[in-house]
Amino acid sequence: MKKFFTFIVFFFVFCFNISAQCETQFTGYTNTLHGVIFNGNIGLAVGEQGRILKTDDGGYFWWDVNLTIGTFFKPVRFLNPTTLYTGGYLGYMAKSTNTGDTWTQVSSPTTMQINGI
């Protein structure tokens, strides 16, 4: 009986907590975005043509972060709450130390496409 009761409790907890609330948000950018990451309400999306988009309101409004590296980026990762790295085609890598507001190119150990950081 105890196992049955435990099963019922887990069943209801799992069933009622599994339905996440998701809604489509538009960035206004028409090319492919390859990576996105959030830390609280701050989010960054990276993609083709060296595009980096940022939001600070959970994804409702996005703006383009100017970056002069003309490549596409795939992964983007937080190292800590303010430092991020992204990488992409031909081993290009970029780093931000101010939560994605500005980016600088950093040296890379490879000239191959970077698919993960």
Side-chain angles (χ1 to χ4, degrees):
M1 186 68 176
K2 186 176 179 181
K3 287 182 182 181
F4 178 73
F5 179 73
T6 304
F7 170 77
I8 294 297
V9 169
F10 281 117
F11 176 78
F12 281 108
V13 169
F14 180 74
C15 287
F16 290 109
N17 287 332
I18 198 166
S19 61
Q21 299 296 320
C22 296
E23 56 185 88
T24 302
Q25 298 296 325
F26 296 97
T27 64
Y29 178 62
T30 58
N31 290 53
T32 303
L33 295 170
H34 295 285
V36 64
I37 192 164
F38 275 85
N39 185 7
N41 282 333
I42 296 174
L44 285 105
V46 298
E48 293 179 358
Q49 299 174 351
R51 186 74 57 183
I52 298 178
L53 304 175
K54 182 177 179 180
T55 181
D56 62 3
D57 61 5
Y60 289 103
F61 178 75
W62 293 84
W63 66 89
D64 191 10
V65 176
N66 292 325
L67 185 64
T68 58
I69 303 170
T71 187
F72 75 83
F73 294 112
K74 282 190 117 176
V76 59
R77 296 288 179 262
F78 278 96
L79 178 65
N80 59 46
T82 59
T83 304
L84 294 110
Y85 283 91
T86 186
Y89 190 65
L90 295 175
Y92 282 103
M93 290 182 66
K95 175 183 179 180
S96 173
T97 57
N98 56 7
T99 321
D101 289 331
T102 59
W103 294 80
T104 56
Q105 187 173 351
V106 295
S107 63
S108 172
T110 185
T111 58
M112 299 182 72
Q113 181 172 309
I114 298 173
N115 293 315
I117 293 180

